[in-house]
């Protein structure tokens, strides 16, 4: 039962253009959403997050949009740079219980930005 | 300062052997998580510590998996009688504060376990 889904395994974008990575979730108990970026042989690094009470959060070239009614979030990277090439994971935090803070991850999307 | 440190980086074990994976979290971080990442998948939650207390072990796949954090700092994930399906990258993550915070997780580079 995949509660967080990233349906696009890969995305290829030209340098300078917009990259849009998508994520869908099923559990309405998720209260916080995060994007992590991962380079080969390294652990995931935190990129940007959004609370379920907001619909947009922006940090430099990165913007995350949340559509709660559709249970959908997206990460926009503008402009895309070759150094952005990595695997991007969407993650959701489950509210309540004794692991407030444990994350459920999607399968990841490989982003390739071509010079 | 130093990030989350995991050792060894790579471990090859024969089926049936026991292994121990170590995690040194960022100094002062209260929360510590272990995740398992299979090839081509996202990380999956295994267990969570707040200081030395193991508050959630619901993700441990079997009773062959055991984790401890006796002094609230370094943690060890032990896998007994390893099986081929245990082959994965094991990620440790820590965060500054505990329950109810939005403090992001800081991940180590993982230990890649291969069971032959």
């Amino acid at each position: 039962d995949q509660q967080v889904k990233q349906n696009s395994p890969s995305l290829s974008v030209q340098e300078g253009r917009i990259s849009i990575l998508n994520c869908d979730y099923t559990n309405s108990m998720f209260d916080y959403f995060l994007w992590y970026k991962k380079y080969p042989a390294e652990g995931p690094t935190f990129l940007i997050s959004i609370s379920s009470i907001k619909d947009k959060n922006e940090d430099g070239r990165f913007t995350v949009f949340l559509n709660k009614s559709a249970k959908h979030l997206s990460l926009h990277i503008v402009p895309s740079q070759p150094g952005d090439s990595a695997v991007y994971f969407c993650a959701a935090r489950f509210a309540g219980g004794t692991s407030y803070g444990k994350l459920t991850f999607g399968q990841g999307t490989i982003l390739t930005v071509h010079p | 300062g130093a990030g989350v440190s995991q050792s060894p980086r790579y471990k090859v074990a024969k089926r049936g052997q026991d292994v121990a994976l170590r995690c040194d979290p960022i100094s002062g971080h209260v929360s510590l998580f272990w995740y398992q990442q299979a090839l081509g998948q996202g990380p999956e939650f295994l267990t969570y510590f707040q200081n030395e207390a193991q508050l959630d072990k619901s993700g441990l796949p079997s009773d062959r998996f055991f984790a401890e954090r006796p002094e609230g700092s370094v943690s060890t994930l032990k896998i007994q009688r390893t099986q081929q399906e245990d082959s994965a990258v094991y990620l440790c993550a820590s965060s500054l504060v505990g329950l109810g915070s939005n403090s992001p997780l800081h991940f180590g580079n993982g230990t890649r376990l291969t069971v032959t």
Side-chain angles (χ1 to χ4, degrees):
Chain A
D1 175 24
Q2 193 76 23
Q3 296 188 64
V4 177
K5 291 184 183 177
Q6 293 175 255
N7 291 317
S8 297
S10 63
L11 175 67
S12 184
V13 170
Q14 203 69 29
E15 182 179 6
R17 300 288 185 104
I18 184 171
S19 295
I20 300 176
L21 298 108
N22 293 301
C23 179
D24 297 292
Y25 63 96
T26 57
N27 195 330
S28 57
M29 288 296 289
F30 290 139
D31 74 331
Y32 199 67
F33 302 90
L34 307 93
W35 284 94
Y36 278 81
K37 175 178 173 178
K38 185 182 182 304
Y39 293 117
E42 294 184 10
T45 55
F46 170 73
L47 196 56
I48 192 169
S49 61
I50 188 167
S51 165
S52 60
I53 62 173
K54 296 189 173 181
D55 55 19
K56 177 182 174 181
N57 187 28
E58 191 172 351
D59 183 3
R61 296 186 297 114
F62 303 92
T63 303
V64 56
F65 295 92
L66 175 62
N67 183 334
K68 277 187 68 176
S69 60
K71 292 192 173 69
H72 177 83
L73 66 155
S74 61
L75 174 68
H76 293 211
I77 307 173
V78 182
S80 303
Q81 299 173 355
D84 296 330
S85 298
V87 181
Y88 288 78
F89 290 101
C90 168
R93 186 180 72 183
F94 183 77
T98 54
S99 277
Y100 188 51
K102 97 182 186 189
L103 300 178
T104 301
F105 283 84
Q107 309 95 308
T109 297
I110 301 170
L111 173 65
T112 304
V113 181
H114 298 283
Chain B
V4 177
S5 178
Q6 292 188 246
S7 60
R9 285 298 312 271
Y10 303 92
K11 177 69 180 177
V12 178
K14 290 190 175 169
R15 191 164 64 95
Q17 279 185 331
D18 297 349
V19 297
L21 312 180
R22 177 187 168 103
C23 172
D24 283 88
I26 295 172
S27 179
H29 276 200
V30 168
S31 296
L32 185 145
F33 295 78
W34 283 98
Y35 285 81
Q36 179 191 58
Q37 185 176 14
L39 191 62
Q41 299 297 314
E44 290 195 2
F45 169 81
L46 292 177
T47 187
Y48 162 63
F49 290 86
Q50 183 170 312
N51 297 306
E52 70 279 0
Q54 189 174 20
L55 297 187
D56 188 333
K57 52 182 180 179
S58 62
L60 296 176
S62 77
D63 59 8
R64 297 185 295 104
F65 286 71
F66 172 77
E68 60 183 6
R69 193 185 185 198
E71 297 177 358
S73 176
V74 171
S75 178
T76 303
L77 176 67
K78 296 179 180 178
I79 309 173
Q80 297 177 324
R81 304 180 304 281
T82 52
Q83 304 294 315
Q84 283 193 317
E85 62 263 27
D86 300 335
S87 296
V89 175
Y90 290 85
L91 293 164
C92 177
S94 68
S95 71
L96 182 59
V97 291
L99 296 180
S101 99
N102 290 337
S103 178
L105 297 188
H106 298 267
F107 283 87
N109 288 335
T111 294
R112 179 177 295 278
L113 172 65
T114 304
V115 182
T116 61

